[in-house]
Amino acid sequence: MKTATAVLALCLGLACHAAYAEDAPAGPPNDPIARSVLPPELIMQNQKAIQLSEAQKGAVIAEVKRAQGRIVDLQWDMQRALEPLVELLGKDKVDEPQVLAQLDKVLAAEREFKRTQLTLALRLKNILSPEQQRTLYDLRNAAPRAGEPKAGGTK
């Protein structure tokens, strides 16, 4: 049963990863991939500082809308794949091949989810000029992380 619990924890962690990623700290994360891309929120919040043109703004909005539709579908897919896995793991005696086959479905859905997120990040980065990217990286690096006191202030 320890193995079943560990697999369940892994799957739940994988499924919840996306929700956690959206609540990540403002500063650059420890994830080397995340350090190299720019989230749409950062672009939107700093559009004036980076002098985002109307054409760029339209392109960013179009890419975010396209990705959001796909992400919603993928979140549903992940949930549909996770429910049978949880059910299989809840049995007193688990069918290992069946559990692993269902785990593969969960992981495939998560893979597509992450691929869609990275595709959006790549497209957004390519919309921005190198100068705009550098400004956003600087702004992100200067932002305090969650739980850290702001410069000159308290928590």
Side-chain angles (χ1 to χ4, degrees):
M1 195 61 183
K2 285 183 182 179
T3 302
T5 304
V7 171
L8 176 59
L10 169 68
C11 293
L12 291 174
L14 293 174
C16 295
H17 175 73
Y20 171 76
E22 291 175 8
D23 296 330
N30 292 329
D31 179 354
I33 293 173
R35 279 195 307 261
S36 300
V37 296
L38 299 160
E41 300 81 21
L42 185 66
I43 297 169
M44 182 180 64
Q45 292 166 356
N46 295 288
Q47 56 186 298
K48 197 173 193 175
I50 63 170
Q51 299 175 352
L52 195 68
S53 72
E54 286 301 316
Q56 287 175 311
K57 182 179 175 182
V60 168
I61 290 169
E63 290 299 338
V64 169
K65 283 182 178 179
R66 181 180 312 152
Q68 280 179 335
R70 179 81 176 121
I71 285 171
V72 168
D73 291 340
L74 292 169
Q75 285 174 323
W76 280 91
D77 291 347
M78 280 194 295
Q79 187 60 40
R80 274 193 298 271
L82 189 59
E83 288 172 1
L85 178 62
V86 171
E87 187 176 314
L88 289 167
L89 291 170
K91 296 181 179 180
D92 290 335
K93 187 160 179 94
V94 295
D95 179 343
E96 184 177 332
Q98 196 175 12
V99 168
L100 295 176
Q102 193 60 40
L103 173 62
D104 287 341
K105 292 177 183 178
V106 171
L107 295 174
E110 179 162 342
R111 178 189 178 280
E112 277 305 305
F113 184 89
K114 288 182 175 185
R115 191 173 203 279
T116 300
Q117 286 182 314
L118 185 58
T119 299
L120 172 61
L122 297 174
R123 290 179 179 171
L124 295 180
K125 188 172 183 175
N126 286 335
I127 290 169
L128 302 172
S129 71
E131 295 80 21
Q132 289 171 316
Q133 292 176 36
R134 277 192 293 279
T135 300
L136 288 171
Y137 289 131
D138 290 345
L139 289 167
R140 182 178 64 189
N141 291 339
R145 292 182 147 195
E148 289 182 3
K150 293 183 180 180
T154 60
K155 218 177 185 182

